[in-house]
Amino acid sequence: MVANPTELITSDKNTTVKLVKGLLTQARQRKKQGQTVIEGVHLIDAALRSDYPFVQILVSEAAQHHPEVQQILTRLPTYTPILTLSDALYESIRSLGTGIDIMALINIPAPRLAAISNDCLILNDVQDNGNVGTLLRTAAAVGIHNILCTSSTAQAWSPKTLRAGMGAQFALTIYEHLSVQDILDYVQTPLFATSSHTDTMIYQHDLKQPIAWIMGHEGQGVCDELMQCATPIALPQPNGQESLNVAIAGSLCLYETLRQREYT
Amino acid sequence: MVANPTELITSDKNTTVKLVKGLLTQARQRKKQGQTVIEGVHLIDAALRSDYPFVQILVSEAAQHHPEVQQILTRLPTYTPILTLSDALYESIRSLGTGIDIMALINIPAPRLAAISNDCLILNDVQDNGNVGTLLRTAAAVGIHNILCTSSTAQAWSPKTLRAGMGAQFALTIYEHLSVQDILDYVQTPLFATSSHTDTMIYQHDLKQPIAWIMGHEGQGVCDELMQCATPIALPQPNGQESLNVAIAGSLCLYETLRQREYT
């Protein structure tokens, strides 16, 4: 049974509309409310495939009869509230460009950190939403589930990070707002980090044991406290260019780990 | 000798200011003029290290005495024209956020395509400027010089691509606006492309001979005409997620090529 959109909202004074607009535009609001908004058919489909619950669905009047929206509405639990917004109002709040106008308000998961003794990826103040999202996407592809983010890392559940992650967030357990001390206290797996201060190439390391890969800030790299506890590894750059983009470096590390385990 | 900034420009009617503003904001203008603008100390430094000539330097009044700007002005050929813009005017045209306000107008190189018989990277309608820039950055890091872009690929010399490339453009020979037929006519190196229609993993291929790696459109992948002439390879995704970001996939291919040649 398709849940039935009930009322048509036209006013930007509507409480849910105001909330959603704030969550789409302000990191502070997302952190304060513990909620975010996922936009577009693709992300909503990824959430549905992971049985992730929605607080609220919002569709534009024009989109509500679109076959892909109808297909999504059919798959929703029947108790999911659906708001229909006038096209002009929807357009005034969406952060995506043109597409199929559907979005969902969701609660951001807040898993409680416990001891980690298997593979994980630590994002140590990675600043750029695109880099965080791309790293999450690669982690999900290679099957790493635990992601630990220190407090200055870009939000894993911001609209931009969700877009770059293509829904990988729903396949992962993401711990956010951690201190460096949290990492040191809870991660029992050996730490590895890329460094320009070593000549030992990644290919010369045995990566078959569980590993906690640390990726750092785009400008400053991994912080000293974590670097001191980590095995430094180098990625070759025969042409002597500057360091690689952090999402590239991280993905190379995760894939070299996979290669050594599965393809040697 | 430090070249001397001569006049202070305050009007947005100034011909150079109008040209620069157009080049920073309009892909069409860049293509029509064959020129672009590089912003910030970092990119200008990368251009200087490659002895790349500037048509014109623009600085803001506040930035002209900044030590890093002074250091750049010292390194310029003395015939390089320098315009000083009022701070308000500079701010009204720059596409970067706050930083050290210096930019340079340059001609976009237009190398003539000839037969390619060594390693190269083919960008077959890659849409996103960030992906193109990141791929250029990785290509420069591993020492691949020749980049071939088909006509719908994002501009390699746009402000966004330059930023993502971190100046890698100046270390590469980039052929743009090519047809698929140009690629087939001039590339004499075996073509390789990632594909979801093969089970043969990249690690099972011998990548020691010269290779032309093709990276395709973010949504549609490599076009049929090129795919038909290419060896398809798979990147493992044990967790069965969707395909990787194209800049990640491309970088994994370039680094696996490097690994097989230098670290086995």
Side-chain angles (χ1 to χ4, degrees):
Chain A
M1 187 188 106
V2 175
N4 258 316
T6 44
E7 24 170 0
L8 179 69
I9 311 293
T10 57
S11 162
D12 61 6
K13 305 283 188 301
N14 176 281
T15 316
T16 305
V17 169
K18 275 162 60 180
L19 171 64
V20 163
K21 194 171 178 174
L23 295 173
L24 280 172
T25 51
Q26 297 167 34
R28 197 170 41 82
Q29 277 301 318
R30 290 190 293 271
K31 194 170 173 187
K32 183 177 151 203
Q33 300 284 342
Q35 294 184 313
T36 192
V37 177
I38 59 175
E39 290 178 273
V41 165
H42 180 90
L43 286 179
I44 291 178
D45 176 66
L48 278 169
R49 279 187 281 114
S50 300
D51 293 322
Y52 201 88
F54 302 119
V55 176
Q56 179 98 45
I57 293 279
L58 292 86
V59 288
S60 74
E61 202 176 1
Q64 64 180 319
H65 302 297
H66 189 288
E68 290 192 57
V69 168
Q70 282 295 313
Q71 202 264 349
I72 282 173
L73 298 182
T74 315
R75 292 158 68 197
L76 290 176
T78 47
Y79 52 78
T80 310
I82 300 168
L83 278 189
T84 309
L85 275 53
S86 69
D87 297 341
L89 181 59
Y90 192 102
E91 197 179 328
S92 74
I93 63 167
R94 72 176 175 207
S95 82
L96 278 185
T98 50
I100 302 169
D101 285 341
I102 182 167
M103 57 174 82
L105 172 63
I106 62 171
N107 294 322
I108 297 174
R112 199 189 163 89
L113 188 58
I116 304 257
S117 56
N118 48 18
D119 288 324
C120 63
L121 174 63
I122 299 165
L123 303 185
N124 176 209
D125 298 356
V126 176
Q127 299 293 292
D128 181 77
N129 295 281
N131 286 338
V132 170
T134 303
L135 283 164
L136 297 179
R137 191 172 167 190
T138 305
V142 298
I144 289 186
H145 285 287
N146 286 313
I147 314 291
L148 290 81
C149 304
T150 57
S151 51
S152 295
T153 299
Q155 292 183 349
W157 295 88
S158 78
K160 277 187 193 165
T161 313
L162 281 157
R163 224 166 298 155
M166 298 280 279
Q169 281 84 347
F170 296 107
L172 301 167
T173 302
I174 306 173
Y175 305 91
E176 295 191 270
H177 318 300
L178 302 181
S179 67
V180 168
Q181 197 55 50
D182 289 332
I183 306 284
L184 295 172
D185 288 347
Y186 287 94
V187 176
Q188 297 168 354
T189 314
L191 304 174
F192 279 67
T194 59
S195 166
S196 51
H197 300 294
T198 177
D199 292 328
T200 312
M201 293 297 162
I202 187 169
Y203 311 116
Q204 298 165 297
H205 286 276
D206 180 349
L207 306 175
K208 290 182 182 170
Q209 80 279 31
I211 285 179
W213 278 110
I214 316 174
M215 294 297 135
H217 184 283
E218 284 83 348
Q220 288 131 45
V222 172
C223 69
D224 290 344
E225 297 108 297
L226 287 175
M227 203 70 209
Q228 279 162 13
C229 303
T231 301
I233 66 103
L235 289 164
Q237 291 179 68
N239 206 34
Q241 292 296 309
E242 303 199 37
S243 63
L244 296 161
N245 168 284
V246 65
I248 299 298
S251 300
L252 291 171
C253 293
L254 297 182
Y255 263 88
E256 175 59 14
T257 308
L258 177 68
R259 185 192 69 81
Q260 288 194 15
R261 295 178 189 178
E262 308 280 338
Y263 298 94
T264 55
Chain B
M1 188 189 103
V2 175
N4 259 316
T6 44
E7 24 170 1
L8 178 68
I9 311 292
T10 56
S11 162
D12 61 5
K13 305 281 189 301
N14 176 282
T15 316
T16 306
V17 169
K18 275 161 60 180
L19 171 64
V20 163
K21 195 171 179 176
L23 295 173
L24 281 171
T25 51
Q26 295 168 36
R28 196 171 41 84
Q29 277 300 320
R30 290 190 292 273
K31 194 169 171 188
K32 184 178 150 203
Q33 300 284 340
Q35 295 185 312
T36 192
V37 177
I38 60 175
E39 290 180 275
V41 166
H42 180 90
L43 285 179
I44 291 178
D45 176 64
L48 278 169
R49 280 187 281 113
S50 300
D51 294 323
Y52 201 88
F54 302 119
V55 175
Q56 178 100 42
I57 293 280
L58 293 85
V59 289
S60 75
E61 202 176 1
Q64 63 180 322
H65 302 297
H66 190 289
E68 291 192 57
V69 168
Q70 282 295 311
Q71 203 262 347
I72 281 173
L73 298 183
T74 315
R75 291 159 67 198
L76 290 175
T78 47
Y79 52 77
T80 311
I82 300 168
L83 277 191
T84 309
L85 274 54
S86 69
D87 296 342
L89 181 60
Y90 192 102
E91 198 179 327
S92 75
I93 63 166
R94 72 178 175 208
S95 82
L96 278 185
T98 50
I100 302 170
D101 285 340
I102 182 166
M103 58 175 80
L105 172 62
I106 63 171
N107 294 323
I108 297 174
R112 199 188 164 87
L113 188 58
I116 304 254
S117 56
N118 48 17
D119 288 323
C120 64
L121 175 63
I122 298 165
L123 304 184
N124 177 209
D125 299 356
V126 176
Q127 298 293 292
D128 182 77
N129 295 280
N131 286 339
V132 170
T134 302
L135 283 164
L136 297 180
R137 192 173 166 190
T138 304
V142 299
I144 289 186
H145 285 287
N146 286 313
I147 313 292
L148 290 81
C149 304
T150 56
S151 52
S152 295
T153 298
Q155 291 183 347
W157 295 88
S158 79
K160 279 187 191 164
T161 313
L162 282 157
R163 224 168 296 156
M166 298 281 278
Q169 280 83 346
F170 296 107
L172 302 167
T173 301
I174 307 173
Y175 304 91
E176 295 191 270
H177 317 301
L178 302 180
S179 67
V180 168
Q181 196 57 49
D182 289 332
I183 306 281
L184 295 172
D185 288 346
Y186 286 94
V187 176
Q188 298 168 353
T189 316
L191 305 174
F192 278 68
T194 59
S195 165
S196 53
H197 300 294
T198 176
D199 292 329
T200 310
M201 293 297 162
I202 185 168
Y203 311 117
Q204 299 165 298
H205 285 276
D206 180 350
L207 306 175
K208 290 182 181 169
Q209 79 279 33
I211 285 179
W213 278 110
I214 316 173
M215 294 297 135
H217 184 284
E218 285 83 350
Q220 289 133 42
V222 172
C223 70
D224 290 345
E225 295 108 297
L226 287 176
M227 203 70 207
Q228 280 164 11
C229 303
T231 301
I233 65 105
L235 289 164
Q237 291 180 68
N239 207 35
Q241 292 297 310
E242 301 201 40
S243 64
L244 296 161
N245 167 284
V246 65
I248 299 297
S251 299
L252 292 170
C253 293
L254 298 183
Y255 264 88
E256 175 59 12
T257 308
L258 178 68
R259 186 191 71 78
Q260 289 194 14
R261 294 180 189 178
E262 308 279 338
Y263 298 95
T264 55

